[in-house]
Each structure stands twice: as C-alpha cells, then as structure tokens.
Amino acid sequence: METHEPRWLNAEEQQTWLSLATMVINLSNALDTQLQRDADISHFEYQVLATLSEAAERTMRMSDLAALTNGSLSRLSHVVKRLQKQGWVRRTPDPDNGRYTLAILTETGWEKVVATAPGHVEEVRRLVFDPLTQAQQRTLRTIGHRVNQAIDPTGTRPE
C-alpha cells in the first residue's frame, strides 16, 4: 500500500489559512452579536426568516430551507419551533406531498424581517464592504465563488 505525504501548508499559506479561518469565525460572531443585541434573534434565526421572506409566497419546504440556510433539518426544526412561539413562522403539511412540511413566514415574521434588516445590512456593510475597495470586493467575490465551487462542485449548496 502506497502512502502519500500530506501536502503541508507553507508559511505563507498557513498565514492565509489562519487569517481566513479567524475572519469567518469573527464575522459570524460579530453578526450574531449585532442581531442578538438589536433584534433579540440569532444570526441563524435571521437567515431562516430572511430566506423565507425571499421565497415564493414566503413559503418553503423545511428540507429546502435547511439546505439554503446550511443547517441540518434537526437544527432547523428546533429553530422554527422557537420562531413559531414568537408568531413569526408557522408550519403546515405540504398539500402537494404530505411527507413534507412547509415553513411559512407570517405577517408578523415579515414585519420582524423588515425591522431587523436595516441594522443587519449596516453591520454587514461596516464589517465587510467599508474596509474594502471595490476591486477588493470583486476579488473577494471571485475567491468566494472559487472556494464554494471546490466545496460543492455540483452547486447544490447556496453561496
């Protein structure tokens, strides 16, 4: 059996990796902190509400919603249960196929998204766009596409 030596990162690659990994963690934490402080919801809860707000008829199968928010069906189910208690989302069997459950953004949920979005987008702008030039933003977008393509060559996960 042939063994292959790992392709270790060189010093520059190691610095790039650590910078990226730290940025991803810090950005996620910063967005979660802002949303908790200003809207009393987590970043994942906001993603669920925002994704539903953009769906046709503000309705989506739970399995599709889980894929689009990059969460497991189990995690999504727990979060949607909390969102239901707030009156922001309701669930119902899919009339086209009873094996599926639909998540539906309520009018109150829509109002929550509308109230929360300005603060969230301002924080995204402050943390991601304001520090970068337009050329750097384009480069970041290109890098994001390429890394996402390497992660999911079939394109089944959202970017």
Side-chain angles (χ1 to χ4, degrees):
M1 180 193 238
E2 192 176 323
T3 60
H4 297 284
E5 182 68 21
R7 295 185 317 141
W8 299 111
L9 302 179
N10 64 35
E12 187 174 347
E13 291 168 334
Q14 181 74 11
Q15 288 177 346
T16 301
W17 167 243
L18 291 175
S19 179
L20 174 63
T22 301
M23 179 188 70
V24 168
I25 291 166
N26 288 342
L27 182 59
S28 179
N29 289 340
L31 294 174
D32 201 57
T33 296
Q34 178 272 320
L35 286 163
Q36 289 284 355
R37 179 191 65 230
D38 296 346
D40 200 27
I41 61 173
S42 71
H43 188 221
F44 186 70
E45 290 169 328
Y46 179 75
Q47 286 180 300
V48 169
L49 294 173
T51 300
L52 284 172
S53 78
E54 295 175 359
E57 299 180 34
R58 299 181 190 154
T59 300
M60 189 174 288
R61 283 184 174 170
M62 291 282 288
S63 54
D64 295 337
L65 185 56
L68 285 172
T69 57
N70 207 18
S72 69
L73 198 50
S74 174
R75 179 182 185 202
L76 178 65
S77 185
H78 287 9
V79 165
V80 168
K81 183 183 267 188
R82 286 197 307 269
L83 298 175
Q84 273 186 282
K85 287 180 184 177
Q86 296 293 328
W88 299 333
V89 174
R90 66 182 177 88
R91 286 188 274 195
T92 187
D94 185 338
D96 296 332
N97 187 336
R99 294 178 297 163
Y100 294 100
T101 300
L102 299 177
I104 303 165
L105 186 69
T106 65
E107 189 59 34
T108 306
W110 170 252
E111 292 167 4
K112 181 66 173 177
V113 172
V114 168
T116 304
H120 177 65
V121 76
E122 184 57 37
E123 189 72 346
V124 168
R125 181 170 296 288
R126 183 181 75 79
L127 296 173
V128 178
F129 293 96
D130 291 348
L132 302 176
T133 65
Q134 285 188 335
Q136 289 169 327
Q137 292 172 27
R138 285 190 297 273
T139 300
L140 180 60
R141 182 175 56 246
T142 300
I143 291 167
H145 286 309
R146 291 188 70 154
V147 171
N148 285 326
Q149 181 66 33
I151 293 167
D152 182 22
T154 63
T156 57
R157 292 178 143 199
E159 285 195 40

